[in-house]
Amino acid sequence: MSTDMFEKELFKKEFEVLEEAAADINDLRYEGNELLDNYGQLVLQYEKLLKLTKKIFRISDTQGEELKRRENEIKNLLDNSDQGFLTFGKDLIVNKEYSVECFRIFNKKIANMNILELLAGLNSDQNNLFEETFKKVFEVEDMDIKTSYLNKLPNVLKINDNYVSIKYKIIHQDGFTIKNDALMLVLTDITEKRKAEDQVLYLSYHDKLTSLYNRAYIDSIASQLQSHQNMPLSIILGDMNGLKLTNDVFGHKYGDKLLIHIAEVFLACCGRNDIAARWGGDEFLIILPNTGYDRCKAICAEIKKQCGNIPPDPIEVSVSLGIATMENPNTKISELFNIAENMMYSNKLAESKSVRRKIILGIEKTLHTKCFEDKGHIERVKKMALDFAKTLDIASDSIEMTNLPLLASFHDIGKVAIPQEILGKEGSLTNNEWEIMKSHTEIGYRMAQSIEEPVLAQAILAMRERWDGAGYPYGLKQNQIPYISRIIAILDAYDVMTHHRPYKSALSKEDALKELMRCRGTQFDPDLISKFLQHIRRVS
């Protein structure tokens, strides 16, 4: 019922009686009856009383509605604040009124439940602390003492697998005894915040790619490592081989795979108390508490062994290692790192040439399967190159003779980075596909540079240049093209034409020689073509 309707209905019957009484008094007043005069005054007074009472009822009803409205506003505010609010008294029983968030946090209705049951966890000491503290808070009167007790309670609890922040508020009603005091708990679910903080902390101390510890973590614990309980303390520093080559040739996706592989090896070789970390871009570290020098050397051997067990993807996993051991905690940890680092770089220098050649040879195996190159092709070109070199009177101790068999082996090595669907495509390549295909000489150049073979690198780069200058990548012509590149270009073309390929049938020897003659002076060095034709007919 609206306020206006309520006012109209309030004391309606009483006012109707008054109106009838007033009419009767007016009808009889001429007789001058004193009793009627007094009765008239009484009626007037009663009318005033009714009006006053009606006013009071109206005010009371308005205040009640306002109070109820404000109560609903406060409850809506609390229920939509993403915080839980609950109160309890000395009996530790949760009061009937609590916010909706409490139901979500505890996953049940909590009215009339004991607060100790709601907050109970696996830690019995903590459970006892809650019980003792709540008891003391309701026993003492001093607010400062109450607060000091509450400050000893945990501020974060794990409730139903969620992390919940708790604030404790004393509700004290002035003029009442402490029996009327209550405690309010303000509960905030901080699970997502906690996860985010944990993630930030994890990333600050871990390498994102390999999940190993990072350098920041090692720096944070360095001082703790220098203790008697860790002696002897050993470290292994490792520098990965071939990462730059892999990144440059195959892309960082494959470089990342190599890093993950080496991280897995280091972890597998770690003991329970050892610490594996990614020390830098391609450097790794193992810290070995209570580990002597001999044991450290054995772990290095195991690392090398496990690296060898990983299939090339795309190259073989290998690492150069350096170690150091300290027996006395008075030794500076920085000195230990310097010793291991110097040994690592010394080993890397000694191993680099063979390691890089091994990597290239591993890639050569990939070339046979991925690029439709059979091993016989390279061996045949290499043999022809050595035989043809004698015809050309190339000195056996010359740079050309040293690099000629290398170029025969690696002239197409850059094709390992070309997509297989382009290499094996039947029919003509599109313009975009042809641009990708042409990049193989530059890729091969970078690979040869990585194994410190600059002459070989230049020869690979020029393998698709033409005598007339119409080749790629730079349009070199005639004697601008390295001599060994001109030689291998002829031998490679002849062998390809005379042997079957998945995408092309073999030509006869004579037809292949005719094709070479047709390209004499345009694609190939005309003098070398003439000499090769004489040579091949003589040895056949």
Side-chain angles (χ1 to χ4, degrees):
M1 182 183 294
S2 67
T3 302
D4 291 340
M5 289 293 294
F6 175 78
E7 289 183 5
K8 289 179 180 179
E9 294 296 324
L10 189 61
F11 303 125
K12 181 179 179 181
K13 294 293 183 182
E14 285 81 352
F15 278 107
E16 288 177 355
V17 171
L18 283 177
E19 288 173 358
E20 292 177 1
D24 292 340
I25 290 170
N26 288 332
D27 291 340
L28 299 172
R29 190 174 295 280
Y30 69 89
E31 296 179 2
N33 190 319
E34 183 179 350
L35 181 59
L36 287 175
D37 289 338
N38 291 336
Y39 180 63
Q41 290 296 321
L42 181 61
V43 168
L44 291 174
Q45 291 297 324
Y46 185 52
E47 182 179 7
K48 289 180 180 179
L49 177 62
L50 286 176
K51 288 181 178 180
L52 179 60
T53 303
K54 183 176 181 180
K55 183 177 181 181
I56 292 171
F57 268 80
R58 185 173 66 250
I59 292 172
S60 177
D61 184 63
T62 302
Q63 288 179 333
E65 287 185 354
E66 177 64 16
L67 184 62
K68 188 173 182 179
R69 184 185 66 79
R70 293 184 63 184
E71 182 182 346
N72 287 333
E73 285 182 354
I74 293 172
K75 190 174 190 313
N76 287 333
L77 183 65
L78 295 180
D79 284 344
N80 291 282
S81 67
D82 292 330
Q83 285 185 308
F85 297 89
L86 64 86
T87 57
F88 58 91
K90 188 175 182 179
D91 59 3
L92 306 186
I93 300 301
V94 175
N95 293 325
K96 182 179 179 181
E97 297 298 329
Y98 56 87
S99 65
V100 170
E101 181 68 2
C102 288
F103 180 84
R104 194 193 69 78
I105 289 173
F106 292 104
N107 199 27
K108 57 187 172 184
K109 295 179 180 180
I110 62 172
N112 299 320
M113 289 192 67
N114 191 298
I115 190 63
L116 298 177
E117 294 179 13
L118 291 173
L119 303 181
L122 298 177
N123 189 329
S124 58
D125 291 337
Q126 184 172 277
N127 296 339
N128 292 334
L129 177 62
F130 274 117
E131 184 175 4
E132 293 171 6
T133 300
F134 290 155
K135 181 180 178 181
K136 290 177 181 177
V137 166
F138 287 110
E139 285 178 348
V140 300
E141 295 188 23
D142 190 286
M143 292 295 290
D144 291 336
I145 296 176
K146 288 176 182 283
T147 302
S148 68
Y149 287 146
L150 294 175
N151 288 339
K152 296 177 182 179
L153 293 177
N155 294 316
V156 176
L157 283 183
K158 196 169 185 182
I159 301 174
N160 294 331
D161 293 327
N162 292 322
Y163 290 97
V164 179
S165 168
I166 303 181
K167 292 184 179 180
Y168 308 89
K169 302 288 185 181
I170 302 168
I171 301 176
H172 181 66
Q173 303 181 53
D174 293 335
F176 292 89
T177 66
I178 60 171
K179 293 181 180 180
N180 296 103
D181 282 354
L183 268 179
M184 174 185 282
L185 301 192
V186 182
L187 311 170
T188 307
D189 189 335
I190 59 169
T191 304
E192 293 305 316
K193 180 183 177 183
R194 181 72 173 260
K195 286 180 180 177
E197 291 173 349
D198 289 347
Q199 181 71 1
V200 169
L201 182 62
Y202 179 86
L203 292 176
S204 66
Y205 283 139
H206 289 79
D207 175 58
K208 186 177 181 180
L209 177 66
T210 64
S211 295
L212 298 183
Y213 286 112
N214 59 17
R215 190 164 190 156
Y217 177 75
I218 301 302
D219 289 341
S220 72
I221 65 167
S223 60
Q224 302 171 32
L225 297 173
Q226 291 181 251
S227 63
H228 285 284
Q229 66 182 18
N230 289 328
M231 297 299 119
L233 178 71
S234 294
I235 65 169
I236 300 174
L237 267 176
D239 189 277
M240 189 173 178
N241 297 316
L243 181 63
K244 185 178 185 304
L245 170 65
T246 303
N247 285 336
D248 289 347
V249 174
F250 299 97
H252 287 270
K253 175 184 175 182
Y254 286 96
D256 288 348
K257 289 173 82 172
L258 282 181
L259 290 169
I260 292 170
H261 284 322
I262 200 71
E264 290 171 346
V265 169
F266 269 58
L267 271 178
C269 295
C270 273
R272 187 173 180 180
N273 298 318
D274 302 335
I275 301 168
R278 186 177 176 190
W279 189 239
D282 55 1
E283 292 184 359
F284 292 81
L285 167 72
I286 300 179
I287 297 176
L288 305 151
N290 308 120
T291 304
Y293 191 80
D294 291 340
R295 174 61 185 152
C296 190
K297 286 177 64 177
I299 293 172
C300 286
E302 182 63 23
I303 290 173
K304 293 277 191 179
K305 178 183 176 183
Q306 292 207 25
C307 284
N309 292 335
I310 300 174
D313 186 24
I315 69 171
E316 185 177 287
V317 177
S318 67
V319 61
S320 297
L321 302 172
I323 64 175
T325 301
M326 62 190 293
E327 304 284 347
N328 190 326
N330 294 327
T331 304
K332 291 183 179 179
I333 195 76
S334 58
E335 294 178 9
L336 196 67
F337 280 97
N338 288 337
I339 293 170
E341 189 173 49
N342 289 335
M343 180 187 286
M344 178 186 73
Y345 286 129
S346 177
N347 289 336
K348 191 172 186 70
L349 186 62
E351 299 167 358
S352 60
K353 195 82 170 179
S354 62
V355 166
R356 287 171 181 172
R357 283 187 176 277
K358 196 173 181 182
I359 289 172
I360 295 296
L361 289 172
I363 294 175
E364 186 183 357
K365 293 179 183 178
T366 306
L367 185 67
H368 301 323
T369 55
K370 181 178 179 181
C371 305
F372 309 106
E373 294 278 7
D374 65 282
K375 191 174 182 181
H377 169 70
I378 289 177
E379 293 301 321
R380 289 190 299 269
V381 172
K382 190 185 293 186
K383 184 179 185 304
M384 282 193 293
L386 293 173
D387 291 341
F388 191 35
K390 295 174 185 177
T391 299
L392 297 173
D393 294 326
I394 297 175
S396 59
D397 59 349
S398 67
I399 294 176
E400 285 88 354
M401 185 58 81
T402 301
N403 286 289
L404 197 60
L406 284 177
L407 183 60
S409 296
F410 300 131
H411 62 278
D412 273 341
I413 198 71
K415 287 183 178 179
V416 294
I418 304 300
Q420 196 164 4
E421 58 269 21
I422 293 178
L423 292 171
K425 183 177 180 180
E426 296 182 7
S428 301
L429 299 177
T430 65
N431 289 336
N432 287 338
E433 289 171 340
W434 179 237
E435 288 302 315
I436 294 172
M437 174 64 87
K438 289 196 300 183
S439 69
H440 78 87
T441 57
E442 295 174 85
I443 294 169
Y445 168 82
R446 293 199 299 270
M447 293 171 74
Q449 286 282 29
S450 74
I451 59 171
E452 299 178 1
E453 294 286 357
V455 176
L456 177 63
Q458 290 293 339
I460 292 173
L461 186 64
M463 272 300 299
R464 300 306 174 208
E465 300 288 3
R466 290 169 51 108
W467 181 258
D468 60 5
Y472 63 86
Y474 297 119
L476 303 180
K477 61 182 180 179
Q478 299 184 11
N479 291 333
Q480 292 176 329
I481 305 170
Y483 188 46
I484 60 173
S485 299
R486 285 180 268 154
I487 294 171
I488 296 298
I490 294 170
L491 304 182
D492 178 55
Y494 176 75
D495 188 76
V496 166
M497 286 189 288
T498 55
H499 288 83
H500 178 76
R501 293 284 172 116
Y503 48 84
K504 193 172 184 180
S505 298
L507 297 179
S508 68
K509 172 185 167 182
E510 287 303 318
D511 286 342
L513 292 177
K514 288 179 183 178
E515 181 65 18
L516 288 178
M517 280 298 294
R518 189 181 69 80
C519 297
R520 180 178 179 272
T522 53
Q523 183 174 349
F524 303 114
D525 181 332
D527 181 56
L528 283 175
I529 285 290
S530 297
K531 290 178 179 178
F532 178 70
L533 263 62
Q534 294 173 7
H535 167 74
I536 203 70
R537 284 181 174 136
R538 186 174 63 251
V539 299
S540 298

